[in-house]
Amino acid sequence: MGDFPTVKEYQVSWLTSLLHSFPHLDLTLQLVNSTFNLENAKYKESLIVWGAVPVLWLLVTLMIFLLYFCYRCCQQDVEKDRRLPCLQWSMAVCAFLSCCAVGVGFYGNEDAHRGVQHLVEAAEDAVYTIARMKNQSIQLQRNINETIAQGIDGMKRSYDNHPEVNVDIRTEMHSHTDQAFRYTRDVFHHVFDINRRAGRIDLTAFVRYTRQYGVYRWMATLLGLSWLMILCLELFLGIGRSSKCLLLLFCAFGIFSLVLCWLSAGLHLLTSVGVADLCVSPHLFFHGLMSEHIERDVMNYYLKCDINVISNPFKDALQHASDNIKEANVSLNKALTLANIFIPTNELNSPVHDVYHGLGKALETLMHITELVGCTNLHKDYIGAMEGICNIALPGAVLLLLSLGTTGLLFAILVIVASRAWRHFGSNSHSYSDDDEAIICHGRPGNTCEQVITHRRTTPPPAYNSGEFYRHYGEMNQKDGGARPEYGGLQRPIA
């Protein structure tokens, strides 16, 4: 019937302390108490402020995009851009880093999901422990009302079937037998009081909603990260094929994905700071949450589970229940001592066996209840829940936050670089290599060569099958003093 040995205490991690140390400011930028309390409007404002930080950065990024795109629209990009390979390599490196960041997000998402599942499993274990406690109480009640009560009634009938027994002796036998039954009823009353004080927690709805939230959050995040990975692969394809269409497609969906990244980062930052505040002092949160359902000493007993600090609040009730079973056996033995003198033993065997069997089952049930109400089981579930949400899910959420923030920054760079590079994709017909310029300058004076090259760079070539094409090159040949051997005398093709 004694207390269970002390079990390990929950330890606050360095990451939890770091996030909890973030300043908590309300909407008026005044410091507020950082203790986790969702019923406090100021505290909720402080979480909203942290969630708004990535959103504000998103607005700044979109403003930079607007100014940059306006500048690019007003800029005349007429010169040959020799930095196109550099732009391609820059996009490739940023896309590769984005893939790495998204990969970290996948890992963080799995960790966060694993932590939520750990929390759900711990809550399910607590629900199972409380359910077993209630079932033991029901079994005890059934045992008393059926097995023991039937045995007591059988013994009384046996007393009444022998009128030759002295009335005073028969009355005394009835008295001892009734006293034994009252003691067994007191056992149930004590157990019922224990069940009332410790079994009022109903975590069924919490388990159901938390499991659903965990699955939906994991699936939505997985789809979002997969979408970001597909965009990175699409950009790789666009760079490899020098496709203007794929680059434009990435710019369009990249801005949309950028918005999703920073919005999701804001949500994860808000959640991470709130969870860290909860993990620093979880007992305060549970005291406030369960204050209307469970007594404070009972809650402290299960949260701390230290027999050197808090004794078992059910110790007296369990001791009284055990004493009642002993007293019931003593009263029953007194009744049988008198009954065996006047009543044949075989006549009392069946009812007496039922009563003793019922008392034995009552003692066994009481031992099970003593084990269940001990702090070890529920405190282990409490520690498991805190380990899951604070030491597994929280680091996963922080990894996911870093992944989304890094991906958002890289996507901003990629959108800017891609918007500069796409103009030069698919326009090779307008550019000339160094070998082409060497052929054009062959046999020409220096000034004439520069004029021709500048003319070719700034003037798009006419269509091959148009008359302008032949007039164009005919005029150039006349300016250069005759037909040039490198073009071999262009003639209009015969229709």
Side-chain angles (χ1 to χ4, degrees):
M1 301 284 180
D3 292 299
F4 291 91
T6 303
V7 297
K8 69 173 184 176
E9 284 294 329
Y10 162 71
Q11 299 294 330
V12 178
S13 66
W14 67 268
L15 179 61
T16 298
S17 301
L18 176 64
L19 291 172
H20 180 67
S21 66
F22 286 6
H24 288 61
L25 306 174
D26 60 9
L27 296 181
T28 61
L29 301 183
Q30 298 294 322
L31 283 174
V32 299
N33 191 353
S34 60
T35 302
F36 184 82
N37 184 10
L38 293 181
E39 296 181 356
N40 189 335
K42 293 294 184 180
Y43 176 77
K44 288 191 289 187
E45 288 180 6
S46 68
L47 295 182
I48 293 174
V49 167
W50 276 112
V53 171
V55 178
L56 291 177
W57 176 253
L58 170 63
L59 296 178
V60 172
T61 303
L62 295 178
M63 183 61 66
I64 293 174
F65 280 172
L66 178 63
L67 296 176
Y68 177 76
F69 291 148
C70 290
Y71 164 76
R72 291 298 295 171
C73 289
C74 298
Q75 186 184 28
Q76 294 182 357
D77 197 10
V78 295
E79 76 283 356
K80 175 185 174 183
D81 196 336
R82 298 177 181 273
R83 292 174 295 175
L84 182 58
C86 179
L87 293 175
Q88 289 177 309
W89 277 105
S90 298
M91 286 190 294
V93 171
C94 287
F96 175 75
L97 293 178
S98 298
C99 290
C100 295
V102 173
V104 173
F106 279 113
Y107 182 81
N109 185 43
E110 291 299 321
D111 259 8
H113 181 66
R114 186 162 57 89
V116 173
Q117 292 300 111
H118 207 78
L119 169 65
V120 171
E121 291 174 0
E124 285 180 335
D125 290 341
V127 170
Y128 178 67
T129 299
I130 296 172
R132 286 180 59 196
M133 189 188 310
K134 293 179 179 178
N135 289 335
Q136 292 293 331
S137 300
I138 294 173
Q139 290 180 11
L140 178 62
Q141 183 181 20
R142 185 183 300 116
N143 178 44
I144 294 174
N145 292 337
E146 295 179 3
T147 305
I148 297 178
Q150 290 176 3
I152 294 293
D153 291 339
M155 292 177 64
K156 288 181 177 181
R157 286 194 298 270
S158 298
Y159 302 158
D160 295 335
N161 289 336
H162 294 272
E164 70 276 6
V165 179
N166 184 277
V167 175
D168 293 336
I169 295 177
R170 190 164 61 245
T171 302
E172 187 177 356
M173 289 191 296
H174 275 284
S175 176
H176 289 310
T177 305
D178 289 337
Q179 185 65 33
F181 186 67
R182 282 195 295 271
Y183 280 132
T184 57
R185 293 295 298 269
D186 289 340
V187 172
F188 173 74
H189 291 155
H190 288 301
V191 171
F192 179 80
D193 181 64
I194 293 173
N195 188 42
R196 179 187 59 81
R197 297 175 64 191
R200 295 177 63 183
I201 305 175
D202 187 8
L203 299 176
T204 306
F206 171 79
V207 170
R208 182 173 67 254
Y209 290 130
T210 304
R211 179 186 289 110
Q212 292 176 355
Y213 159 78
V215 172
Y216 291 147
R217 187 214 60 82
W218 174 77
M219 184 61 68
T221 306
L222 186 63
L223 291 176
L225 294 175
S226 300
W227 165 254
L228 295 177
M229 187 65 75
I230 290 173
L231 274 184
C232 293
L233 297 178
E234 184 265 342
L235 179 60
F236 276 124
L237 183 62
I239 296 172
R241 300 185 59 182
S242 298
S243 172
K244 181 184 296 186
C245 178
L246 292 178
L247 227 59
L248 287 174
L249 194 65
F250 172 81
C251 288
F253 287 111
I255 295 177
F256 171 74
S257 302
L258 182 70
V259 173
L260 291 182
C261 280
W262 286 114
L263 291 179
S264 181
L267 181 61
H268 280 83
L269 180 57
L270 179 153
T271 305
S272 298
V273 174
V275 171
D277 294 337
L278 168 64
C279 294
V280 166
S281 54
H283 57 282
L284 296 179
F285 168 72
F286 284 106
H287 274 302
L289 183 65
M290 299 296 179
S291 60
E292 298 181 358
H293 305 283
I294 299 181
E295 300 168 8
R296 188 175 185 84
D297 59 337
V298 176
M299 180 61 69
N300 284 330
Y301 173 65
Y302 286 124
L303 294 182
K304 297 184 179 300
C305 195
D306 188 352
I307 60 176
N308 297 321
V309 178
I310 302 174
S311 61
N312 189 340
F314 311 111
K315 183 177 181 179
D316 292 339
L318 293 171
Q319 186 63 49
H320 289 157
S322 178
D323 292 341
N324 286 333
I325 293 178
K326 294 178 181 177
E327 293 295 334
N329 278 286
V330 171
S331 297
L332 188 62
N333 290 333
K334 290 180 179 179
L336 289 177
T337 301
L338 295 174
N340 288 333
I341 299 175
F342 306 101
I343 302 173
T345 305
N346 57 354
E347 187 175 342
L348 290 173
N349 279 341
S350 179
V352 170
H353 176 269
D354 290 341
V355 175
Y356 276 123
H357 178 69
L359 289 175
K361 289 184 63 177
L363 181 60
E364 181 181 353
T365 302
L366 185 61
M367 294 177 63
H368 285 302
I369 292 176
T370 302
E371 179 183 0
L372 292 173
V373 300
C375 65
T376 304
N377 290 326
L378 289 179
H379 184 73
K380 181 182 67 176
D381 298 332
Y382 163 72
I383 294 296
M386 290 297 99
E387 290 286 339
I389 194 67
C390 300
N391 295 341
I392 301 177
L394 181 59
V398 171
L399 282 179
L400 194 53
L401 170 62
L402 295 176
S403 169
L404 292 170
T406 305
T407 305
L409 292 174
L410 291 172
F411 267 48
I413 297 173
L414 283 171
V415 169
I416 291 177
V417 176
S419 66
R420 179 176 180 82
W422 73 267
R423 297 188 177 191
H424 309 287
F425 281 10
S427 59
N428 294 333
S429 59
H430 290 198
S431 61
Y432 299 90
S433 65
D434 293 340
D435 293 339
D436 294 335
E437 293 180 358
I439 294 175
I440 294 173
C441 293
H442 178 70
R444 298 175 181 272
N447 295 336
T448 304
C449 176
E450 292 180 1
Q451 293 176 1
V452 172
I453 291 175
T454 302
H455 179 75
R456 289 177 180 270
R457 287 181 178 178
T458 58
T459 305
Y464 176 76
N465 60 352
S466 65
E468 183 183 354
F469 178 84
Y470 301 98
R471 289 195 302 272
H472 173 75
Y473 284 104
E475 292 174 358
M476 292 186 62
N477 288 336
Q478 290 177 3
K479 291 179 181 179
D480 296 340
R484 290 168 296 176
E486 59 268 26
Y487 289 96
L490 295 172
Q491 298 180 0
R492 183 183 298 273
I494 301 174

